[in-house]
Amino acid sequence: MTTKEMVYAALFAALIGVLGMIPPIPLGFIPVPITAQTLGVMLAGCFLGKKTGALSLVLFIVLVALGLPLLSGGRGGLSVLVGPSAGYILSWPIAAFFIGFAIEKVWSSLKVWKVIVINFIFGVVLVSLIGAPIMALITHTSIWAGLVGATAFLPGDLIKAIIVAVIAIQLKAVSPIEQKLNN
């Protein structure tokens, strides 16, 4: 791993921490709030690629585990990583990896609609398919109830996927993916 990749990973971990400063939107029927941080997860995969994107989220989770209040609502510490949000948070490096993997595969023909589809599949659906069952197990509810509750995230997450797609296309020329493929 190059120094440049480490700096990018650290910058994106910081960016996701900054997105955590936006107050969460609590939902009364599910113990996991709506946050802006999944936007950062999608952007990490789209801009940094699979390896560095996933590493940035691993770094972010390590910082949260160490107690830094980087999660939305000023949360941090190990307790968050065993609470209802644990599955969602722990799915973020996986989502960033698969988003980056898919983006790298279609990089030469990247279009906004492709990025939206990739972000929706891996940044929305995959995160929910990992996060909702774990939340259900932790809260002692049925997995089906967890998955149904997670549908509340779909409209906002689709908007985030669209925003990230537009940003990713605009930043394509300066992305580390572009630099890696051209070397």
Side-chain angles (χ1 to χ4, degrees):
M1 170 158 278
T2 66
T3 303
K4 193 174 199 176
E5 289 171 322
M6 288 188 282
V7 170
Y8 274 129
L11 284 172
F12 267 79
L15 171 67
I16 295 165
V18 169
L19 289 170
M21 296 176 78
I22 298 171
I25 301 170
L27 302 172
F29 55 90
I30 187 171
V32 178
I34 295 172
T35 73
Q37 290 182 297
T38 49
L39 185 141
V41 173
M42 291 184 242
L43 192 57
C46 288
F47 183 77
L48 298 176
K50 64 182 183 248
K51 184 174 96 176
T52 311
L55 179 66
S56 70
L57 273 300
V58 169
L59 174 61
F60 178 80
I61 291 170
V62 167
L63 294 172
V64 168
L66 290 172
L68 274 66
L70 298 175
L71 291 170
S72 190
R75 297 174 302 141
L78 288 174
S79 63
V80 177
L81 299 178
V82 295
S85 299
Y88 290 97
I89 297 165
L90 295 173
S91 73
W92 291 351
I94 299 165
F97 177 86
F98 281 110
I99 290 168
F101 178 82
I103 290 291
E104 288 175 14
K105 290 292 182 195
V106 298
W107 189 259
S108 62
S109 63
L110 205 59
K111 304 277 186 245
V112 171
W113 72 268
K114 289 180 183 179
V115 181
I116 292 169
V117 169
I118 289 167
N119 281 332
F120 188 77
I121 291 169
F122 298 116
V124 178
V125 175
L126 179 65
V127 168
S128 290
L129 287 176
I130 295 170
I134 293 173
M135 177 199 62
L137 292 171
I138 290 170
T139 59
H140 305 293
T141 57
S142 74
I143 292 175
W144 179 250
L147 289 168
V148 169
T151 61
F153 298 124
L154 293 179
D157 284 346
L158 180 58
I159 292 168
K160 291 179 221 173
I162 293 167
I163 292 168
V164 168
V166 171
I167 293 170
I169 293 295
Q170 296 299 315
L171 296 177
K172 181 181 180 196
V174 296
S175 170
I177 300 170
E178 179 77 17
Q179 296 164 6
K180 184 178 7 171
L181 295 177
N182 286 334
N183 289 335

